[in-house]
Amino acid sequence: MDFAFTEEHEELRQTVRRFLENKSPEAAVRRWMETERGYDEDVWLEMAGQMGLQGLIVPEAQGGAGLGPVELAIVMEEMGRVLFCAPYLSSAVLAARALLEAASEEAKAELLPRIASGEIVATLAFTEKQALWDPELVRTEAVRRGDSWSIDGVKDYVLDGHVAHVLLVVARTDDGLGLFRVEGEAEGLRRTLLPTLDLTRKLARCQFSKTPAVRIDRDGDLAKALERTVAHTLVALSAEQVGGAQRCLEMSTDYAKTRIQFGRPIGSFQAIKHKCADMLVEVEFARSAAYHAAFRAAEGDENELLTASAMAKSYCSEAYFRAAAETIQIHGGMGFTWEHPAHLYFKRAKSSALLFGDPVFHREKLADRLGI
């Protein structure tokens, strides 16, 4: 399979990298992560207006660029390099994909252009107290009263759920699972920002009490549509993990070349040399897994998508975590300090490894799919 990027892909990467390096230096990341909102609205709108990044996977007919998983992987990799703080994964990836896979044409026509323009932030409220993306575990209920619906239940670990203008809620109905649209300021909705290890990515608890909702799913197997939604999101997240791991490798090798100990750069010592070499190998393997998943997802084969996404998520999670941990070790005591960015990457690596299921969970899914 050919993983080669085109000239247009490389131009996209360079354009996004320049934008993010300008708008998301370390100082900005630290400033945004300390806020409850977690991102800069001006940068968010600028990113939509000038770059069109929120509409990357949205069809052109609905105001987007109509691009696919490969282009999204490039953007996510660059965002991972700089720990970009914004609801991009929740809104432009997870919610947009959920609408594309599961929503009615009417709902897509109404919401996708607003997501693409940056006008609204949307998210998918799926997981509950078990934190597992399994439709069988959904207990939130939707009740129909005449022509209207209301929702009761609690959703946990909702990506950017505290700031989302629109929540796409998975709830159980008399005829199976349904997908519902809930406005962020709806009556009966209580949203609480959760304390998290990684301050650069926000999670929230959303409690629904007779909360008005609009059913937006289309005919078909919603569980399958949600499975494809999560698989596509795993592909994007894997690319983001590669970007973070690559940045850890760069920080480590740069420091190893310039930090002098006993009259020599520490990179000349065998122990440090081996750590950097091992990191390089793992990052390259992770990159191959993530790119493989992105190109497979672009082919549109559901079986290949589910297999490749599980493989990429499990490998990239472990590779990023080890790269971030080794970065702290190579930097010595300085790497443990609050002032150094190494710990920010370490926390992002840990939170990303657990998000949508840890590596063991995805290896088990992969083994089941392969009949091992």
Side-chain angles (χ1 to χ4, degrees), residues 139-168:
R139 296 292 178 267
T140 300
E141 293 184 340
V143 178
R144 185 168 189 167
R145 294 183 176 85
D147 293 333
S148 62
W149 291 85
S150 64
I151 292 182
D152 288 283
V154 179
K155 295 292 187 183
D156 272 317
Y157 314 107
V158 181
L159 279 167
D160 302 303
H162 65 304
V163 295
H165 301 92
V166 173
L167 291 92
L168 308 178

Side-chain angles (χ1 to χ4, degrees), residues 102-114:
S104 65
E105 293 302 319
E106 182 183 5
K108 284 192 281 190
E110 183 181 359
L111 293 175
L112 285 173
R114 299 175 69 195

Side-chain angles (χ1 to χ4, degrees), residues 210-233:
K210 295 183 173 54
T211 306
V214 177
R215 189 165 187 173
I216 61 170
D217 56 281
R218 65 186 181 206
D219 292 338
D221 188 341
L222 182 60
K224 280 289 183 186
L226 292 171
E227 187 179 30
R228 291 193 298 272
T229 296
V230 173
H232 275 284
T233 307

